[in-house]
Amino acid sequence: MKQCTHSDALPHPEPEPLSVTCPECLAAGTHPVQLRLCLTCGHVGCCDSSPGRHATEHHKDSGHPVMRTFEPGEEWRWCFVDHVLV
């Protein structure tokens, strides 16, 4: 089973969210479907079901490997590099 090779290098504690919603969606006047939090820098982006896919775009632009859900009641993390739940 494949494992994430990046989770041990994440900052502790987690970074504070830089916003309460996806700033790219806000600027474009669109609504995110669900939100994701970058665990390297605190960027908040929308999920891949949203038109902008800004969490994935943030990973592509920054190289930051792991994000977590930013939705109430959810607790999962995703590694973009290793393509696995963390």
Side-chain angles (χ1 to χ4, degrees):
M1 186 165 143
K2 193 172 183 182
Q3 293 186 337
C4 173
T5 58
H6 304 92
S7 59
D8 289 341
L10 294 173
H12 293 284
E14 289 183 359
E16 289 294 319
L18 298 177
S19 59
V20 296
T21 191
C22 177
E24 293 87 358
C25 283
L26 191 61
T30 60
H31 297 282
V33 175
Q34 290 191 343
L35 298 172
R36 311 292 183 238
L37 175 70
C38 174
L39 293 179
T40 300
C41 71
H43 175 269
V44 176
C46 61
C47 71
D48 285 357
S49 296
S50 299
R53 301 176 53 157
H54 294 119
T56 296
E57 288 303 311
H58 175 72
H59 160 69
K60 289 178 181 176
D61 292 344
S62 68
H64 297 162
V66 182
M67 63 87 190
R68 74 163 171 84
T69 180
F70 197 52
E71 294 297 315
E74 294 183 5
E75 297 279 330
W76 56 270
R77 297 173 173 202
W78 176 255
C79 179
F80 287 103
V81 177
D82 295 318
H83 303 284
V84 294
L85 287 172
V86 176

